Amino acid sequence: MANESVVDTSVFGEDVVARARAIIARYPQPRSSLLPMLHLVQSVQGHVSQAGIAFCAAQLDLTAAEVSAVATFYTMYKRRPCGEHLVSICTNTLCAALGGDEIYRTVREHLGSDGKPLGHEETSGEPGAPGSITLEHAECLAACDLGPVLQVNYEFYDNQTPEKALELVKALQAGERPAPTRGAPLTDFRQAELQLAGFFEGREADLDGPSAAPETLRGASIAADRGWTAPSMPDEAEFPPVPEKK
């Protein structure tokens, strides 16, 4: 691990080291804790830096290349510092057809400067400063029944319009934190990352936030009202033979 030793990881203090050790203790194999460990370092710097990669590598006895391979594979790990808030707008098929593209265009034009719209994963304002916003278009936010949708720090804002999205972004810039449609009360990006690492810092009640909407449960409600049930699994179900591996 000689390469990791030349990177300054002093930004990660003893409190971060203690949390890293707590994460590792959750898993039978230390390397299995890499995903929450990356969220942990992102909660400190607002992105996964070379220092964050070196820190994870040292804690888990991995190489920087092994950590980088994971950090660059998943889009939730950002390679540039994020704003106070991360705004993710779904532009996948259904949301796009319902107005997601127009929402994205409206927001990026508002957040841009010098006549140039803000680009994907670019930040309006000084990263991390109050009111700063990083914008991204997301391929799918798994809420098609409530589209078009967007997220702020991974909390949902459903049934959006360009006007509602613009009002939300302006409120974030002004230091407000409008309540999500469902889920936990809004926090900032770094606090959300700390929660994704498994640390709630006195915000345990966030786990109780509503996650389902009537639209999501409508099929189950109709089935319950009409007494519909799926066939039960027979006690002696026969399964096809598993092909022999060669």
Side-chain angles (χ1 to χ4, degrees), residues 23-202:
I23 292 173
I24 294 170
R26 302 173 193 160
Y27 297 87
Q29 298 295 328
R31 68 181 299 143
S32 299
S33 65
L34 178 55
L35 295 184
M37 191 80 75
L38 286 166
H39 284 298
L40 176 65
V41 299
Q42 193 157 251
S43 76
V44 177
Q45 294 187 296
H47 71 302
V48 178
S49 66
Q50 286 303 117
I53 288 173
F55 177 82
C56 291
Q59 295 296 318
L60 301 176
D61 194 27
L62 298 173
T63 66
E66 289 173 312
V67 176
S68 295
V70 174
T72 56
F73 182 83
Y74 295 103
T75 59
M76 288 181 76
Y77 302 124
K78 307 304 183 186
R79 302 314 307 275
R80 292 183 291 181
C82 277
E84 180 185 23
H85 300 294
L86 172 66
V87 174
S88 312
I89 299 176
C90 184
T91 56
N92 211 333
T93 307
L94 184 57
C95 279
L98 293 173
D101 285 339
E102 179 65 17
I103 291 171
Y104 182 61
R105 183 190 67 79
T106 299
V107 172
R108 68 191 297 248
E109 287 182 355
H110 169 71
L111 293 175
S113 60
D114 300 325
K116 181 181 178 182
L118 194 69
H120 173 62
E121 289 195 339
E122 291 183 352
T123 300
S124 173
E126 183 67 25
S132 58
I133 292 176
T134 297
L135 179 67
E136 67 177 0
H137 63 81
E139 284 304 309
C140 183
L141 296 179
C144 301
D145 46 349
L146 295 160
V149 299
L150 64 80
Q151 290 180 335
V152 180
N153 308 326
Y154 306 117
E155 299 296 345
F156 279 101
Y157 293 80
D158 303 316
N159 297 312
Q160 288 293 299
T161 65
E163 295 76 20
K164 289 166 64 176
L166 185 58
E167 181 181 356
L168 171 61
V169 167
K170 287 181 178 179
L172 296 173
Q173 290 179 299
E176 302 173 24
R177 294 187 178 181
T181 308
R182 50 201 165 92
L186 188 63
T187 182
D188 59 43
F189 176 71
R190 296 191 187 192
Q191 177 64 37
E193 286 298 303
L194 190 60
Q195 292 185 355
L196 288 170
F199 303 96
F200 285 81
E201 305 290 293

